[in-house]
Amino acid sequence: MLTRARQREDVAARAAVAAAPAQRGVLTTGAWLRTPSAAPGVFRVRPLPREATASYGQRLADTYQLTLPQLLDGANMTLIGHGTLPTAALHLSLAACHRIAALARIPLPHLTHALPRLAPNDAAHHTAAAAHWKRLEADQQPVRACTLCTRHRSHGTTDTAWAHQPPHRLVCPRHQQAAPDPRLASTVHTRGVPEFAAAHHAHQRLLRHPRAAIAWITAHAITTRWYDHQQHLTHRWHTRLTQLRATNPHLTTASSASPALLARDLITYPETVTLARALATLPSRPRDRTDDALTLIAHRLNLDRLAPSANDPLRVCLTHTRH
């Protein structure tokens, strides 16, 4: 393993190769008066959309064939604490953000836009370049990004990255991969279930509707309840789970959780999108028209009929929130 001094020399030497011609190209009158910024790195490493900060730092380190602690130490950044993805996040001071941006050859505003958790953590108002690990709650943890998208943006050095994906990015339609749960260390291949790609495209259209956000939250809560209590769409979802397990053996061995739980959001995704689109477009009607709404939703879900009980979340939604 490289010593700390050797690590700093290695990163600095590589940075100097790119820094020298860059400085000659931007010298202007009075440039000597400005405080020198961090030297740019040799490689330009593009972030993935909504990538976790620690994931991006690790990919940057992989490009230089270093560990993340080695990269930070070599760039004179202090690493505080210990952590691993996806259960912990890496928080950077403002000075550390600038050093990472320079090393990655990405303007800091662009990097901040791509990495949603990069916002500098300078509560102590210090100017040191520091990074520290902080444990994340389960609902805040990132999930695995598409392996082929990651490799494309990593100069072929790695296919591992973690991102805070919003629901409409659950599936990568180009490479047919998905990561529905942070406990999965590998993505789920969806090529054998074509309705996922169709649902992804429908979800993009849904986003243009003004009621899309609340409709999605409501629909997701309803389909999750149906799934957990084996209601309405159980046979369809069991079939889909069987298809996913056949092409993704790691679903059974990846975690102490069951495949049914790890893949739940993915399995229900097509119906959640369909239900959300239906709820977003239903007009406000009196309670006595609830059965009409149920008939329409059953048709959208490709069901012969939908007769939920009085305490079913869909009936409650239609009865108490649409009048």
Coordinates of all heavy atoms in Angstrom, one line a residue, residues 62-121:
D62 N -11.1 5.1 -8.1 CA -10.9 3.9 -9.0 C -10.1 4.3 -10.3 O -9.3 3.6 -10.8 CB -12.2 3.2 -9.4 CG -12.9 2.5 -8.2 OD1 -12.2 2.2 -7.3 OD2 -14.1 2.4 -8.2
T63 N -10.5 5.5 -10.8 CA -9.8 6.0 -12.0 C -8.3 6.1 -11.8 O -7.5 5.9 -12.7 CB -10.4 7.3 -12.4 OG1 -11.8 7.1 -12.6 CG2 -9.8 7.8 -13.7
Y64 N -7.9 6.5 -10.6 CA -6.5 6.7 -10.2 C -5.9 5.4 -9.6 O -4.8 5.5 -9.1 CB -6.3 7.9 -9.3 CG -6.5 9.2 -10.0 CD1 -7.7 9.9 -10.0 CD2 -5.4 9.8 -10.6 CE1 -7.9 11.1 -10.6 CE2 -5.5 11.1 -11.3 CZ -6.8 11.7 -11.2 OH -6.9 12.9 -11.9
Q65 N -6.7 4.4 -9.6 CA -6.3 3.1 -9.0 C -5.9 3.3 -7.5 O -4.8 2.8 -7.1 CB -5.1 2.5 -9.8 CG -5.5 2.2 -11.2 CD -4.4 1.5 -12.0 OE1 -3.5 0.9 -11.4 NE2 -4.4 1.6 -13.3
L66 N -6.7 4.0 -6.8 CA -6.5 4.2 -5.4 C -7.8 3.9 -4.6 O -8.8 3.8 -5.2 CB -6.2 5.7 -5.1 CG -4.9 6.3 -5.7 CD1 -4.9 7.8 -5.6 CD2 -3.7 5.7 -5.1
T67 N -7.6 3.7 -3.3 CA -8.8 3.6 -2.5 C -9.3 5.0 -2.2 O -8.6 6.0 -2.4 CB -8.5 2.9 -1.1 OG1 -7.6 3.7 -0.4 CG2 -7.9 1.5 -1.3
L68 N -10.6 5.1 -1.7 CA -11.1 6.4 -1.4 C -10.3 7.1 -0.4 O -10.0 8.3 -0.6 CB -12.6 6.3 -1.0 CG -13.3 7.6 -0.7 CD1 -13.2 8.6 -1.8 CD2 -14.8 7.3 -0.3
P69 N -9.9 6.5 0.8 CA -9.1 7.2 1.7 C -7.8 7.7 1.1 O -7.3 8.7 1.5 CB -8.9 6.2 2.8 CG -10.1 5.3 2.7 CD -10.4 5.2 1.3
Q70 N -7.2 6.8 0.3 CA -5.9 7.2 -0.3 C -6.1 8.5 -1.2 O -5.2 9.4 -1.2 CB -5.4 6.1 -1.2 CG -4.8 4.9 -0.3 CD -4.4 3.7 -1.2 OE1 -4.8 3.6 -2.3 NE2 -3.7 2.8 -0.6
L71 N -7.2 8.5 -2.0 CA -7.4 9.6 -2.9 C -7.6 10.9 -2.0 O -7.0 12.0 -2.4 CB -8.7 9.4 -3.7 CG -9.0 10.6 -4.6 CD1 -8.2 10.5 -5.9 CD2 -10.5 10.6 -5.0
L72 N -8.4 10.9 -1.0 CA -8.6 12.0 -0.2 C -7.4 12.5 0.5 O -7.1 13.7 0.6 CB -9.7 11.8 0.9 CG -11.1 11.4 0.3 CD1 -12.1 11.1 1.4 CD2 -11.7 12.5 -0.6
D73 N -6.6 11.6 1.0 CA -5.4 11.9 1.7 C -4.3 12.5 0.7 O -3.6 13.5 1.0 CB -4.8 10.7 2.4 CG -3.6 11.0 3.3 OD1 -3.7 11.7 4.3 OD2 -2.5 10.6 2.9
G74 N -4.3 11.9 -0.4 CA -3.3 12.4 -1.5 C -3.7 13.8 -1.9 O -2.8 14.5 -2.4
A75 N -4.9 14.2 -1.8 CA -5.4 15.5 -2.2 C -5.5 16.5 -1.0 O -6.1 17.5 -1.0 CB -6.7 15.5 -2.9
N76 N -4.8 16.0 0.1 CA -4.8 16.9 1.4 C -6.1 17.1 1.9 O -6.4 18.2 2.4 CB -4.0 18.2 1.1 CG -2.5 17.9 0.8 OD1 -1.9 17.2 1.5 ND2 -2.0 18.6 -0.2
M77 N -7.0 16.1 1.9 CA -8.3 16.2 2.6 C -8.4 15.3 3.7 O -7.9 14.1 3.6 CB -9.4 15.8 1.6 CG -9.7 16.9 0.5 SD -11.1 16.5 -0.6 CE -10.2 15.6 -1.9
T78 N -8.9 15.7 4.9 CA -8.9 14.9 6.1 C -10.2 14.1 6.1 O -11.3 14.7 5.9 CB -8.9 15.8 7.3 OG1 -7.7 16.6 7.3 CG2 -9.0 15.0 8.6
L79 N -10.1 12.8 6.3 CA -11.3 11.9 6.3 C -11.6 11.6 7.8 O -10.7 11.1 8.5 CB -11.0 10.6 5.5 CG -12.1 9.6 5.5 CD1 -13.4 10.2 4.9 CD2 -11.7 8.3 4.8
I80 N -12.8 11.9 8.2 CA -13.2 11.7 9.6 C -14.2 10.5 9.7 O -15.2 10.5 9.0 CB -13.8 13.0 10.1 CG1 -12.8 14.1 10.0 CG2 -14.3 12.8 11.6 CD1 -13.4 15.5 10.3
G81 N -13.9 9.6 10.5 CA -14.8 8.5 10.7 C -14.7 7.4 9.7 O -13.8 7.4 8.8
H82 N -15.6 6.4 9.8 CA -15.6 5.2 8.9 C -17.0 5.0 8.4 O -18.0 5.2 9.1 CB -15.1 4.0 9.6 CG -13.7 4.1 10.1 ND1 -12.6 4.0 9.4 CD2 -13.2 4.5 11.4 CE1 -11.5 4.2 10.1 NE2 -11.9 4.5 11.3
G83 N -17.1 4.5 7.2 CA -18.4 4.2 6.6 C -18.3 3.4 5.3 O -17.3 3.4 4.7
T84 N -19.4 2.8 4.9 CA -19.5 2.1 3.6 C -20.8 2.4 3.0 O -21.8 2.7 3.7 CB -19.3 0.6 3.8 OG1 -20.3 0.1 4.7 CG2 -17.9 0.3 4.3
L85 N -20.8 2.4 1.7 CA -22.1 2.5 0.9 C -22.8 1.2 1.0 O -22.2 0.1 1.0 CB -21.8 2.8 -0.5 CG -21.3 4.3 -0.8 CD1 -20.6 4.4 -2.2 CD2 -22.5 5.2 -0.7
P86 N -24.2 1.2 1.0 CA -25.0 2.4 0.9 C -25.5 2.9 2.2 O -26.4 3.8 2.3 CB -26.2 1.9 0.1 CG -26.3 0.4 0.5 CD -24.9 0.0 0.8
T87 N -25.0 2.3 3.3 CA -25.5 2.6 4.7 C -25.0 3.9 5.2 O -25.5 4.4 6.3 CB -25.2 1.5 5.7 OG1 -23.8 1.3 5.7 CG2 -25.9 0.2 5.2
A88 N -24.0 4.6 4.6 CA -23.5 5.8 5.1 C -23.2 6.8 3.9 O -23.0 6.3 2.8 CB -22.1 5.5 5.9
A89 N -23.2 8.1 4.3 CA -23.0 9.1 3.3 C -21.7 9.9 3.6 O -21.3 9.9 4.8 CB -24.2 10.1 3.2
L90 N -21.1 10.4 2.6 CA -19.9 11.2 2.8 C -20.2 12.7 2.7 O -20.7 13.1 1.6 CB -18.8 10.8 1.7 CG -17.4 11.3 2.0 CD1 -16.8 10.6 3.2 CD2 -16.5 10.9 0.8
H91 N -20.0 13.4 3.7 CA -20.2 14.9 3.7 C -18.9 15.6 3.6 O -17.9 15.3 4.3 CB -20.9 15.3 5.0 CG -22.3 14.8 5.1 ND1 -23.4 15.6 4.9 CD2 -22.8 13.5 5.4 CE1 -24.5 14.8 5.1 NE2 -24.2 13.6 5.4
L92 N -18.9 16.6 2.7 CA -17.7 17.4 2.4 C -17.8 18.8 2.8 O -18.9 19.4 2.7 CB -17.4 17.3 0.9 CG -17.3 16.0 0.2 CD1 -16.9 16.2 -1.3 CD2 -16.2 15.1 0.9
S93 N -16.7 19.4 3.3 CA -16.6 20.8 3.6 C -16.6 21.5 2.2 O -16.3 20.9 1.2 CB -15.4 21.1 4.4 OG -14.2 20.9 3.7
L94 N -16.7 22.8 2.3 CA -16.7 23.6 1.0 C -15.3 23.5 0.4 O -15.3 23.3 -0.9 CB -17.0 25.1 1.3 CG -17.0 26.0 0.1 CD1 -18.0 25.6 -0.9 CD2 -17.3 27.5 0.6
A95 N -14.3 23.6 1.1 CA -12.9 23.4 0.6 C -12.8 22.1 -0.1 O -12.2 21.9 -1.2 CB -11.9 23.7 1.6
A96 N -13.3 21.0 0.6 CA -13.2 19.7 0.0 C -14.0 19.6 -1.3 O -13.6 18.9 -2.2 CB -13.7 18.6 1.0
C97 N -15.1 20.2 -1.4 CA -15.9 20.2 -2.6 C -15.1 20.8 -3.7 O -15.2 20.3 -4.9 CB -17.2 21.0 -2.4 SG -18.5 20.2 -1.3
H98 N -14.5 21.9 -3.5 CA -13.7 22.5 -4.5 C -12.5 21.6 -5.0 O -12.2 21.6 -6.2 CB -13.1 23.9 -4.0 CG -14.1 25.0 -4.1 ND1 -14.5 25.6 -5.3 CD2 -14.8 25.6 -3.1 CE1 -15.4 26.5 -5.0 NE2 -15.6 26.6 -3.7
R99 N -11.9 20.9 -4.1 CA -10.8 20.0 -4.4 C -11.3 18.8 -5.2 O -10.6 18.4 -6.2 CB -10.1 19.5 -3.2 CG -9.4 20.7 -2.5 CD -8.5 20.2 -1.3 NE -7.8 21.3 -0.7 CZ -6.6 21.3 -0.3 NH1 -5.8 20.3 -0.5 NH2 -6.1 22.4 0.3
I100 N -12.4 18.3 -4.9 CA -13.0 17.2 -5.6 C -13.4 17.6 -7.0 O -13.1 17.0 -8.0 CB -14.2 16.6 -4.9 CG1 -13.8 15.8 -3.7 CG2 -15.0 15.7 -5.9 CD1 -13.1 14.5 -4.0
A101 N -14.0 18.8 -7.2 CA -14.3 19.3 -8.5 C -13.1 19.6 -9.3 O -13.1 19.2 -10.5 CB -15.1 20.6 -8.3
A102 N -12.1 20.1 -8.8 CA -10.8 20.3 -9.5 C -10.2 19.0 -9.9 O -9.8 18.8 -11.1 CB -9.9 21.1 -8.7
L103 N -10.2 18.1 -9.0 CA -9.6 16.8 -9.3 C -10.3 16.0 -10.4 O -9.8 15.3 -11.2 CB -9.5 15.9 -8.0 CG -8.6 14.7 -8.1 CD1 -7.2 15.0 -8.4 CD2 -8.7 13.9 -6.7
A104 N -11.7 16.2 -10.4 CA -12.5 15.5 -11.4 C -12.6 16.3 -12.7 O -13.2 15.8 -13.6 CB -13.9 15.3 -10.8
R105 N -12.1 17.5 -12.7 CA -12.2 18.4 -13.9 C -13.6 18.7 -14.3 O -14.0 18.7 -15.5 CB -11.4 17.7 -15.1 CG -10.0 17.4 -14.8 CD -9.3 16.8 -16.0 NE -9.1 17.8 -17.1 CZ -8.1 18.6 -17.2 NH1 -7.2 18.7 -16.3 NH2 -8.1 19.5 -18.2
I106 N -14.5 18.8 -13.3 CA -15.9 19.2 -13.5 C -16.2 20.5 -12.7 O -15.9 20.5 -11.5 CB -16.8 18.1 -12.9 CG1 -16.5 16.7 -13.6 CG2 -18.3 18.5 -13.1 CD1 -17.0 16.6 -15.0
P107 N -16.7 21.5 -13.3 CA -17.0 22.7 -12.5 C -17.9 22.4 -11.4 O -18.9 21.6 -11.5 CB -17.8 23.6 -13.6 CG -17.3 23.1 -14.9 CD -17.1 21.6 -14.7
L108 N -17.7 23.0 -10.2 CA -18.4 22.7 -9.0 C -19.9 22.9 -9.2 O -20.7 22.1 -8.7 CB -17.9 23.6 -7.8 CG -18.5 23.3 -6.5 CD1 -18.4 21.8 -6.1 CD2 -17.9 24.2 -5.4
P109 N -20.4 24.0 -9.8 CA -21.9 24.1 -10.0 C -22.5 22.9 -10.7 O -23.6 22.4 -10.4 CB -22.0 25.4 -10.8 CG -20.8 26.2 -10.5 CD -19.7 25.2 -10.3
H110 N -21.8 22.4 -11.8 CA -22.2 21.2 -12.5 C -22.2 20.0 -11.6 O -23.1 19.1 -11.6 CB -21.4 21.0 -13.7 CG -21.4 22.1 -14.7 ND1 -20.7 22.1 -15.9 CD2 -22.2 23.2 -14.8 CE1 -21.0 23.2 -16.6 NE2 -21.9 23.9 -15.9
L111 N -21.2 19.8 -10.8 CA -21.1 18.7 -9.9 C -22.1 18.7 -8.8 O -22.8 17.7 -8.5 CB -19.7 18.7 -9.3 CG -19.2 17.3 -8.7 CD1 -19.1 16.3 -9.8 CD2 -17.8 17.5 -8.1
T112 N -22.4 19.9 -8.3 CA -23.4 20.1 -7.3 C -24.8 19.7 -7.8 O -25.7 19.2 -7.2 CB -23.4 21.5 -6.7 OG1 -22.1 21.8 -6.2 CG2 -24.4 21.7 -5.6
H113 N -25.0 20.1 -9.1 CA -26.3 19.8 -9.7 C -26.5 18.3 -9.9 O -27.6 17.8 -9.7 CB -26.4 20.5 -11.1 CG -27.7 20.2 -11.9 ND1 -28.9 20.8 -11.5 CD2 -27.9 19.4 -12.9 CE1 -29.8 20.3 -12.3 NE2 -29.3 19.5 -13.2
A114 N -25.5 17.6 -10.2 CA -25.6 16.1 -10.4 C -25.6 15.3 -9.1 O -26.3 14.3 -9.1 CB -24.4 15.7 -11.3
L115 N -24.9 15.8 -8.1 CA -24.8 15.1 -6.8 C -25.7 15.7 -5.8 O -25.4 16.8 -5.2 CB -23.4 15.0 -6.3 CG -22.3 14.6 -7.3 CD1 -20.9 14.5 -6.6 CD2 -22.6 13.2 -7.9
P116 N -26.9 15.2 -5.6 CA -27.9 15.9 -4.7 C -27.5 16.1 -3.3 O -28.0 17.0 -2.6 CB -29.1 15.0 -4.8 CG -28.6 13.7 -5.2 CD -27.4 13.9 -6.0
R117 N -26.5 15.3 -2.8 CA -26.1 15.4 -1.4 C -24.7 16.0 -1.3 O -24.1 15.9 -0.2 CB -26.0 14.0 -0.8 CG -27.3 13.1 -0.9 CD -28.5 13.8 -0.2 NE -29.8 13.1 -0.5 CZ -30.2 12.1 0.3 NH1 -29.5 11.7 1.3 NH2 -31.4 11.6 0.0
L118 N -24.2 16.7 -2.3 CA -22.9 17.3 -2.2 C -22.9 18.6 -1.5 O -21.8 19.1 -1.1 CB -22.4 17.5 -3.6 CG -20.9 18.1 -3.8 CD1 -19.9 17.0 -3.2 CD2 -20.6 18.4 -5.2
A119 N -24.0 19.2 -1.1 CA -24.1 20.5 -0.5 C -23.1 20.5 0.6 O -23.0 19.7 1.5 CB -25.5 20.7 0.1
P120 N -22.1 21.5 0.6 CA -21.1 21.6 1.6 C -21.6 21.6 3.1 O -22.6 22.2 3.4 CB -20.3 22.9 1.3 CG -20.7 23.2 -0.1 CD -22.1 22.7 -0.3
N121 N -20.9 20.9 3.9 CA -21.2 20.8 5.3 C -20.2 21.6 6.1 O -19.1 21.1 6.5 CB -21.2 19.3 5.8 CG -21.6 19.2 7.3 OD1 -22.2 20.2 7.8 ND2 -21.3 18.1 7.9

